[in-house]
Amino acid sequence: MKNLLSSLLDLFYPHTCDGCGTDLTRTEQVLCLRCLCRLPLTGYQHQQHNPVEKIFWGRVNIRHAMAAYYYRKSSLLQQLIYEFKYRQREDIATHLGQQMGNILLQSRWLYEINSVMPVPIHPTKLQQRGYNQAMLLANGIGNITGKPVTEKILFRSNYSPSQTNKGRLLRWQNVSGVFSIQPAAQLKDQHILLVDDVLTTGATLEACSNLLINAGATVSICTLAFAHH
């Protein structure tokens, strides 16, 4: 009976790959296996002093840092990010967060992490979009790794324009002073995995990390994508 109902649902609501449009199997979600394999993995979970870690050298004391995939213009990954940021495809963000979780399981340092924390967005943008995409990614990571997801500690207290098409200095100025932290937060001896979608200059992650570190936490970083140059 269950299989019959599932077949009827597939008939009226086709479950197709967001990459190539082919029908997904029962074990596939969002992307077929072939399209999932098309996403350009960085392999940074295996590399100490990888290019993502080096971005933060001399800027903020990060313990570990990595990105799951390379971000390339006009790529499948860019299309997927656009879908979950601007077209309410929450399922895509959650699924990609789960892939990030699977990748993190391959690292040697995941056991150090106490909790996963998304980069916050301003309440105005949250109301407009209906969700924080970094939170969906963090939830996907938590689902796979078993690490608890923590929110309501970091806040975006000032609204700032989009970071898109801004250089490093302008991005840093754009986020300077816009984040705040819960004064009563107990972060001493806590190792937090800070999560965001796309890493470019690292200005947003630097600002958030400094607040957490000043409150006593150790910070590592994991992003979905790395827009390397």
Side-chain angles (χ1 to χ4, degrees):
M1 183 66 182
K2 184 177 180 181
N3 289 336
L4 177 60
L5 179 60
S6 180
S7 296
L8 287 172
L9 286 172
D10 286 345
L11 180 62
F12 291 103
Y13 302 98
H15 196 197
T16 57
C17 173
D18 280 275
C20 64
T22 59
D23 290 339
L24 296 178
T25 67
R26 301 286 184 205
T27 59
E28 295 171 334
Q29 298 177 33
V30 178
L31 297 173
C32 67
L33 183 58
R34 179 174 295 180
C35 285
L36 185 61
C37 291
R38 284 172 52 199
L39 299 182
L41 292 163
T42 65
Y44 291 165
Q45 70 274 18
H46 303 298
Q47 300 177 29
Q48 190 177 16
H49 308 323
N50 64 65
V52 171
E53 288 188 0
K54 290 179 181 179
I55 281 181
F56 298 100
W57 284 3
R59 295 167 59 180
V60 60
N61 188 21
I62 298 299
R63 179 68 60 86
H64 308 285
M66 60 158 286
Y69 303 102
Y70 291 112
Y71 181 90
R72 295 167 181 163
K73 290 185 177 180
S74 303
S75 66
L76 172 58
L77 184 60
Q78 183 188 39
Q79 172 191 327
L80 294 170
I81 291 172
Y82 182 86
E83 290 290 323
F84 72 65
K85 288 186 75 167
Y86 303 111
R87 291 188 174 175
Q88 288 71 55
R89 288 296 305 277
E90 299 178 51
D91 59 318
I92 292 178
T94 300
H95 180 65
L96 291 175
Q98 291 171 344
Q99 300 309 311
M100 293 167 72
N102 286 325
I103 291 167
L104 280 163
L105 289 176
Q106 303 169 24
S107 73
R108 296 180 179 179
W109 48 265
L110 180 64
Y111 73 94
E112 301 175 20
I113 301 298
N114 297 115
S115 64
V116 182
M117 187 180 296
V119 167
I121 62 174
H122 191 270
T124 300
K125 187 170 286 187
L126 181 62
Q127 186 175 24
Q128 292 170 348
R129 185 172 292 161
Y131 55 87
N132 175 4
Q133 73 276 4
M135 172 58 85
L136 297 177
L137 294 172
N139 284 337
I141 291 172
N143 288 342
I144 296 298
T145 63
K147 301 292 182 179
V149 178
T150 304
E151 58 176 336
K152 298 183 180 178
I153 289 180
L154 276 180
F155 298 92
R156 191 158 193 151
S157 47
N158 295 324
Y159 187 82
S160 59
S162 171
Q163 297 278 67
T164 306
N165 299 322
K166 287 184 169 62
R168 177 174 173 177
L169 177 60
L170 287 177
R171 283 175 180 264
W172 186 86
Q173 292 172 338
N174 201 32
V175 299
S176 179
V178 306
F179 295 101
S180 58
I181 195 167
Q182 171 61 252
Q186 301 293 318
L187 298 179
K188 191 175 186 302
D189 300 323
Q190 291 296 299
H191 190 160
I192 293 169
L193 181 67
L194 193 60
V195 174
D196 205 3
D197 50 8
V198 181
L199 169 65
T200 48
T201 65
T204 296
L205 289 160
E206 179 184 354
C208 291
S209 296
N210 273 321
L211 284 172
L212 294 170
I213 291 169
N214 289 338
T218 299
V219 176
S220 290
I221 285 171
C222 182
T223 66
L224 172 65
F226 174 39
H228 63 304
H229 300 286

